[in-house]
Amino acid sequence: MRLTRRGLLVGAGVGGALLIAFPLIPRRHAVPLVAGKDEHVVDAFLKVGKVRSSSGKIDCMLTVAVPFCEMGQGITTLMAQIIADEAGADWRKVAVEASPISPAYADAVLSAHWAPLWMPAFASLGADPAGILPRLHAEREPLMITADGTALAAFETPLREAGAALRAMMAQAAADRWGVGWEECDTKDSEVLYQGKRASFAELLDSAVAYDPPSIPVLRADPPREPPGQFPEGAPPRHPRLDLPAKVDGSFTFAGDVRLPGMVFAAIAHGPQGATILSSYDKQAAATVRGLVGVVRAKRWLAAVATNWHAADKAVRAMEPQFKADGPVAESEKTLIAIDKALNKGDPVRVFAQGDPDALLEKPGLSARYDVEPALHAPLETASATARMRQGKLELWIATQAPERARRAAAKAAGLSRHDVIVYPMHAGGSFDARLDVRIAAEVSAIATTLNKPVQLTYSRWQESLAGVPRTALSAQLDGALSLDKIRVLGWRARLAVPATARESGARLLDGWGIADALGLQDRADAMACEGAMPLYRIPEKAVDHVPVAIGLPTARFRGQAHGYTAFFTESFIDELAHLANKEPLSFRIGMLEGQPRLVDCLSGVARLAQWDGGVEASGQGIACHRMDLATGQDVPRSGFIAVVATARAEAGVVRVERISAYVDIGRIVNMGIARQQIEGGLMFGLAHAVGGSTSYAKGRPKAGRLSQLGLPLLADCPKVDIAFADSKAEPFDPGELGMVAVAPAVANALFSATGARFRRLPLISEGL
């Protein structure tokens, strides 16, 4: 019998029990979950226990441990659903809790996908069939980071194994009672069934925990999947979101809702964006603020603490902190000059290539430049964290996508071992990758240990915008050459002048570099900063060149990652080539997508959905498509596909989008409601950053620091949205980032058909370039 990831399962949550973490290289770790009263630990993902309902009935409650940050994407519901479906549990008797930090939740898929960041030589080694190196790296950290949609790829199988373990234990208990083989029993709605006999999980629990599940979990024949069609009119979803009732009635607890006995509140002032240090402040000015508890300063920030947050904010502003430069400081004018110089005179590094298009493009048939401005994440909830020292341990309540990194940052700031920091992961009110920044963990820990009081630190909206690290600015030069008959594209080259944003943000997150230090990495080659720039179209000679450039502005990960801008200029340029060739944009694309049947299906599907009229002049329709891949460390990545048709017009200097249609292939759909919500949210996020969401900087300060200044669409501006999903049996792909990537080019192409002007800048501007 082979050794499985969960070869040793725990039946009763006995202290000191061990898990065997990975195949081939067994590593033992303490079981991370702790059983409460009347509870039993099944494995690292699942506890079961008895609870008394309001009617007095005893039920068996499943509690699923979720090692991801819930940011509204529905991951808590999705993980609980997988276990519940495999176990045959009643969905009304399933709960969730945040998992503790443990190697048992190490994300080997994310480790493989991010291998260029932690081991650049990994890419040259080729596929790692067993995934040994990424697994070891993920375990050592442990790598528990919510990013890039790896949840299903990394954890669907172990979650199903957890559910199968519980089902086997319950079936064995019932089978012994009935004198039958346990394999003949089935489970449904938290009951074991056999030829008209039934026994509830609650009545079987005490005896079931004495049984060991099979060392090779017996999974149900096929993972449950939801059909891609529309919901029947008025029919409720099979798995309603677990967090929805509390969010509707306002009882849901976000990070900023934490309250502790004796807690005080902190407000903070950061220096301008870039490398700045605190130079002076007027401490006496804060003393006049009623409720002031204290003032805490650090090299790059100043905080005031009071009995309420508004008093703390008033005090920190009264001190008028001054900062001075300690290195590069963000200045949009200098950023634009640096990018322009790099694009025209910089030394490119060829990061992707099929053939060599340079000779063909000495006299290109078409050349176009595209520009992207820095964009703010702007989540609805600003950053908030609470810290308390108690009995030599630092407790940290924080909404973070990287709890282990937050723990290390807090430990360093408090002068503790990371094992003396307890992290309580909270749900975030939005993120879009903003909560990969763990600086607030260090800040609140330093304040709490200095004052020896429980402290909650919350950023103001201005501080969220000032201190938040934006998506990078960049420019791209695209060159294309058509055949003499203008039927085919023979050559394609994309030249990106962009900082090494993936390497920079990776150094801050994975290695704990400071912002000022990580700025020094911007002029390095970075293939991840150019992901998605290699067109999928059948073009004999094509290449992507990266021109690294130091722009003086720190840059961060952002929803959609590089695909958010590479899809924009790739799909805009292919549209320009179609126009040059006097071809209809849809058929021009499909004619060059040999070997991409799933993307062709998406294009055909969205054309039907949107009643595509050919994108003719004055129609206001534009089309775009894209594919995203998730490298898992194996030979074949998981892929998601999307095609979008937008109907738009330019009116009085404003972009009006009237309709967005999307056809999506994300493989096997686990939860249709969540998939639809994620695509809808992605489309709206993509629209927001097609028409707004960006800012420029002057002396390190964002010119658009308030939500009202970002030009984000209001509810009245939101278009009609139509979404359809492909009926696919491929491995599931997370839809969270896929929805946003093709919106901007679809809108830009729609504006061309409506106005005859090309829009080559993000966010889109009223005049064509």
Side-chain angles (χ1 to χ4, degrees), residues 66-80 91 96-99 145-147 151 240-244 247 252-255 379 381 398-403 424-433 435 674 677-678 734:
V66 179
F68 291 98
C69 178
E70 174 64 71
M71 305 172 287
Q73 79 275 41
I75 189 61
T76 50
T77 296
L78 200 66
M79 295 191 71
W91 184 241
V96 292
E97 67 179 27
S99 69
I145 295 176
T146 306
R241 287 183 59 142
L242 297 175
D243 55 349
L244 194 57
K247 287 180 176 177
F252 195 87
T253 303
F254 292 97
E381 179 193 34
I398 184 172
T400 176
Q401 294 174 244
Y424 302 110
M426 304 298 296
H427 293 214
S431 173
F432 318 120
D433 281 352
R435 300 300 165 244
I674 290 175
Q677 291 161 13
Q678 283 291 281
D734 186 275

Side-chain angles (χ1 to χ4, degrees), residues 471-486:
R471 180 197 65 193
T472 186
L474 76 147
S475 294
Q477 183 75 36
L478 271 72
D479 299 308
L482 293 171
S483 60
L484 292 177
D485 57 10
K486 293 188 176 181

Side-chain angles (χ1 to χ4, degrees), residues 177-188:
R177 176 184 296 185
W178 298 329
V180 299
W182 73 268
E183 297 89 345
E184 301 176 66
C185 299
D186 197 7
T187 57
K188 184 180 179 181

Side-chain angles (χ1 to χ4, degrees), residues 158 343 501 569 697:
L343 188 65
T501 179
F569 56 70
Y697 288 82

